[in-house]
Amino acid sequence: MIPRMKFDLPGVDCSAWPMLDTSDVQSMIDEVRVWYHAISLQGIDTPGVYDMRPYVERYHMPDLEGLEVLDVGASNGYFSFLFESLGAKVTSVDLPSYPEHDYPKWVLERELSRRGKEELSLIDWDELHGGYLVAAHVLGSKNERVLTRIYDMPDVLEPKFDIAFCSNVLVHLRDPVGAMEAIRAVLKPGGRTVIATPVLREEYGEASAANLIGFVDGPAWWVPAISTFRRWHEVIGLKDVEIVDEFDTQRAGGDRGVDYTAVIHATR
Ligand SMILES: C[S@@+](CC[C@H](N)C(=O)[O-])C[C@H]1O[C@@H](n2cnc3c(N)ncnc32)[C@H](O)[C@@H]1O
């Protein structure tokens, strides 16, 4: 008899989610049609659009042993599971449902009117929850997963975190500075932010500048100059703001584009 199970998340419409054969890692991976992260699951790499493994050092993470670490916008959870393996107690935040992305309202209305309940449930599985749940199951993860919009984190999380990690999320947000305030609010005093986002390549000195991308093939808003990204930290009262690295990130699959990413550390 094949051991089969279906994941279920409270408050999320799981009605169209697939039954999984939990004895076969490859078949579980195949049941998720969109993998964001390449993650090694019992020696099998998930077909992620992004392989973040070559970039881990660029985040300059401190020793995480015994620390409370928040991974905001965890996606399939590559970083969450890595931090767990390094001894951290990890909380992974992501959206409850795909349409809760920061879409312009007219785009959201259009998308919701085009798609039925079953399709929306499947999008939530394929693009938001399935990859994380399958990976967590296979890895035997003890991470806590909290489903909330980034802006609402202070309402649902205690200010207990030593480290709040947030990589490649701000670009998807209408209000990145408000989101950073929410991140700061869940840090314990002295806690540290590690925030990474695509930035402009051009030098703007101390001038404030940000490129408005607007909706392209998903919610995409602001790409700041690096000086502006730094300033976002300062205006919300973060201290010890330090640009720790800048680098090109290549999408898996070669010719799908390059982002220029900056990583900033700061403390509350
Ligand atoms: C581009 S992925 C980044 C994944 C991972 N942090 C990394 O750097 O590889 C963006 C993630 O942020 C989440 N996200 C987008 N908007 C969000 C919001 N308003 N609140 C919480 N999470 C959000 C998405 O669901 C997705 O998991």
Side-chain angles (χ1 to χ4, degrees):
M1 182 128 137
I2 298 175
R4 292 177 77 80
M5 69 172 280
K6 185 168 171 299
F7 287 104
D8 194 21
L9 291 175
V12 176
D13 177 8
C14 314
S15 55
W17 291 13
M19 292 292 289
L20 302 175
D21 170 1
T22 53
S23 67
D24 181 5
V25 173
Q26 184 65 61
S27 85
M28 291 179 83
I29 291 172
D30 293 345
E31 288 288 1
V32 179
R33 282 179 292 186
V34 182
W35 280 90
Y36 182 88
H37 283 140
I39 308 178
S40 177
L41 300 180
Q42 292 184 6
I44 305 173
D45 271 6
T46 61
V49 179
Y50 283 93
D51 187 348
M52 300 308 287
R53 292 172 289 198
Y55 306 113
V56 169
E57 299 301 321
R58 315 305 294 258
Y59 290 82
H60 302 270
M61 297 300 287
D63 180 2
L64 299 180
E65 180 69 45
L67 298 190
E68 288 269 6
V69 176
L70 179 67
D71 181 9
V72 186
S75 186
N76 299 155
Y78 168 71
F79 286 106
S80 293
F81 303 128
L82 174 70
F83 300 157
E84 182 181 27
S85 75
L86 296 173
K89 187 167 181 307
V90 180
T91 302
S92 309
V93 160
D94 217 314
L95 291 168
S97 173
Y98 202 78
E100 295 196 52
H101 272 98
D102 272 9
Y103 285 107
K105 289 207 179 350
W106 70 272
V107 175
L108 182 60
E109 284 162 15
R110 186 190 66 188
E111 295 302 304
L112 289 177
S113 70
R114 280 180 181 170
R115 304 181 198 287
K117 181 172 152 26
E118 185 177 340
E119 191 180 352
L120 287 171
S121 172
L122 266 182
I123 290 172
D124 276 355
W125 168 258
D126 283 319
E127 310 225 7
L128 197 52
H129 301 302
Y132 187 98
L133 292 171
V134 165
H137 179 83
V138 174
L139 296 170
S141 172
K142 302 268 187 295
N143 290 348
E144 184 180 359
R145 188 158 183 260
V146 174
L147 303 180
T148 177
R149 295 169 77 231
I150 194 168
Y151 309 110
D152 301 329
M153 288 192 309
D155 298 335
V156 292
L157 291 172
E158 295 297 320
K160 65 175 183 180
F161 293 98
D162 298 291
I163 310 267
F165 177 88
C166 180
S167 163
N168 296 315
V169 180
L170 297 186
V171 67
H172 300 296
L173 303 179
R174 186 195 303 265
D175 178 9
V177 185
M180 287 173 61
E181 282 200 302
I183 293 172
R184 180 182 181 275
V186 297
L187 281 178
K188 58 164 75 149
R192 183 190 305 212
T193 52
V194 177
I195 306 184
T197 199
V199 291
L200 300 175
R201 279 172 196 279
E202 299 80 14
E203 289 291 336
Y204 286 82
E206 289 306 307
S208 283
N211 184 26
L212 174 65
I213 305 177
F215 183 86
V216 186
D217 54 1
W221 293 91
W222 300 102
V223 176
I226 195 156
S227 51
T228 307
F229 184 30
R230 166 195 273 279
R231 191 89 185 102
W232 287 354
H233 286 74
E234 292 164 351
V235 294
I236 63 163
L238 285 164
K239 296 181 288 222
D240 312 315
V241 182
E242 187 188 353
I243 300 163
V244 297
D245 222 329
E246 300 166 52
F247 53 98
D248 283 327
T249 48
Q250 183 79 46
R251 283 193 183 189
D255 57 355
R256 303 189 57 184
V258 173
D259 287 326
Y260 187 57
T261 298
V263 182
I264 293 186
H265 287 199
T267 56
R268 175 172 183 174

